[in-house]
Amino acid sequence: MESETNSTEDWASRAWNLLSKLRDQSPLVQCITNFVSMDLMANTLLSAGASPAMIHSIEEIPDFTPHARSLCINVGTLSPDWLPAMKAAAELASQFGKPWVLDPVAAGASGFRLNACLELVCMKPTVIRGNGSEIIALSKASLGDSKGVDSFHESMDAVEAAKSLAKASGAIVAVSVVGAYNGLPMMQKITATGCAVTALIAAFVAVDPLHALEATASALSILGIAGELGMDMAKGPASLRMHLIDSLYGLDQAVRLSRTKITSL
Ligand SMILES: Nc1ncnc2c1ncn2[C@@H]1O[C@H](COP(=O)(O)OP(=O)(O)O)[C@@H](O)[C@H]1O
Ligand SMILES: Cc1ncsc1CCOP(=O)(O)O
Ligand SMILES: [Mg+2]
């Protein structure tokens, strides 16, 4: 997919504009996510300016999903009774023209999980965001070397898999730290940072659904920058988690413009 945005300056100002829009509009983002990530995901969305709602009961989907500006589906603690709600929400989002984003957590860890993710991919997510191993498993549609929710592969090893998954699914496929280089390895030591960045992508595409590629790269870069700034004050993963949220909340244009590391995708 071709992007209209090329230089680092273009990317930085585009990302800043999107964050400003997000803060102004405070879009409602529905999250059907795992038990581990609910807290960090909701706090990340609030700090960025969005309005999160963790609503996953199938009984509530028909009333609620049409009111959300976007939807984030994350299979991290998937069980058979949750899958119908995820599919119902995805279908309604598509029907109402709302963007939705899939995080295929640990896609290659079991047949049940892989099949569920493949079924969700067939429902045309706007964006799929995963770590290297997840994108490789989805692209090959096979169980792979698995370390559970953490990646067994380097992100760069997943680039070809991401391209072929994007072609086959029609979705924008994002792998951690490919194309948007902000962030730091310590972020992997906080559980659910990947889940949180996927939800942030859902918030960004809510405010600019026609430019989902740019919104995705911007969200990845912004969470990475918040992590970089947070690390200046942190002593380890627990305090990084706190400072990352504070930094995201306080992010200003000057920092944003000077720190962005996005290259043409
Ligand atoms: N090696 C790294 N260098 C820079 N940033 C990283 C690195 N690993 C993770 N991050 C940051 O953490 C976020 C989550 O990535 P990752 O931990 O790979 O996802 P997941 O939790 O789904 O496995 C990334 O979007 C990025 O901001
Ligand atoms: C530890 C864990 N177990 C099931 S979901 C989950 C959280 C995964 O979060 P992330 O994909 O952001 O590392
Ligand atoms: Mg993950």
Side-chain angles (χ1 to χ4, degrees), residues 8-9 121 139-140 150 160 189 206-207 233 246 248 257 262:
T8 301
E9 292 76 32
V121 168
S139 177
K140 289 188 179 162
D150 293 330
E160 289 312 314
K189 297 290 180 198
V207 296
M233 295 170 278
D246 284 352
L248 180 58
L257 292 176
I262 303 177

Side-chain angles (χ1 to χ4, degrees), residues 208-226:
D208 197 356
L210 298 180
H211 297 97
L213 173 64
E214 287 81 357
T216 299
S218 299
L220 286 165
S221 169
I222 291 217
L223 195 81
I225 290 175

